[in-house]
Amino acid sequence: MGTVTLGVSIAVPEPFGSLLQERRAGFGDPAAHGIPTHVTLLPPTEVDASRLPAIETHLTEIAAGVRPFPMRLSGTGTFRPLSPVVYVQLAEGVSACAWLQQRVRDTSGPLVRELQFPYHPHVTVAHGISEEAMDRAYEELAEFEAAWTCSSFALYEQGTDGVWRKLKEYEFGGGRAVSAVPAQGSPVDTPTPAAG
């Protein structure tokens, strides 16, 4: 059956997702249009394709135990000089994302893996481009703000063309797979995380 490269992430909803993707492309990042704007829960991970059903069951069970929670982006940060990345910072939703990514990579599940760096939820807006372009990204998005209610995460597969495509979206609460991203534009002060 071969192997597939998978990732799990929280999509940044519209209009923010497209806006940040276009800004990333504008800074000269060639990967911008192949990567939906997101907060990573599981970085690119190669697995045997035969494990997909077990992975989907695992993600369904995780989503079933989570309630929607507020997420807010605010300002920029960078991992330079350790890693050539500029990102928009997650100002709210950090602990819920940290809990989710631990569950996704749990040693009892099918997606066990070590991380190269300690987990730090963020939204990449520039990666591996010139220092001048990274500086521009850092400065031009320094005032960026976005807030929404996170009510799902998704499983993605990276194609041989390098493009990430969504396989399934997992809605919180019911844990059922859904075909589209649920509405995420509601106020951020109403839901609470059920992570625990």
Side-chain angles (χ1 to χ4, degrees):
M1 242 182 144
T3 61
V4 291
T5 300
L6 302 177
V8 178
S9 63
I10 293 170
V12 174
E14 297 303 338
F16 314 118
S18 291
L19 187 151
L20 288 175
Q21 190 174 46
E22 289 306 316
R23 295 304 303 272
R24 183 171 179 172
F27 297 132
D29 190 329
H33 289 295
I35 305 173
T37 308
H38 68 282
V39 175
T40 298
L41 298 177
L42 177 77
T45 302
E46 192 173 296
V47 301
D48 193 290
S50 65
R51 292 170 56 199
L52 267 172
I55 288 166
E56 291 175 0
T57 298
H58 174 62
L59 297 177
T60 297
E61 289 170 357
I62 293 169
V66 183
R67 285 195 305 267
F69 58 87
M71 287 188 65
R72 183 167 60 87
L73 304 177
S74 181
T76 50
T78 184
F79 294 131
R80 294 184 293 174
L82 192 62
S83 182
V85 172
V86 171
Y87 57 85
V88 172
Q89 298 187 83
L90 197 59
E92 190 171 5
V94 173
S95 61
C97 288
W99 182 86
L100 276 172
Q101 65 87 28
Q102 283 184 319
R103 289 291 312 277
V104 168
R105 296 185 303 106
D106 192 87
T107 54
S108 66
L111 289 171
V112 179
R113 69 158 289 170
E114 293 296 317
L115 297 181
Q116 187 178 358
F117 301 104
Y119 183 71
H120 184 275
H122 63 280
V123 176
T124 299
V125 290
H127 180 238
I129 56 177
S130 74
E131 288 297 318
E132 289 96 0
M134 301 270 268
D135 291 342
R136 268 185 57 222
Y138 187 86
E139 291 159 14
E140 291 181 17
L141 291 171
E143 303 299 315
F144 183 83
E145 297 277 339
W148 71 95
T149 298
C150 177
S151 55
S152 65
F153 59 71
L155 175 65
Y156 290 83
E157 179 181 348
Q158 187 178 36
T160 54
D161 56 1
V163 175
W164 286 91
R165 293 175 179 87
K166 183 167 58 178
L167 296 179
K168 281 194 179 174
E169 188 91 19
Y170 297 88
E171 186 179 4
F172 296 161
R176 62 192 180 278
V178 294
S179 59
V181 178
Q184 296 185 340
S186 49
V188 296
D189 57 350
T190 48
T192 54

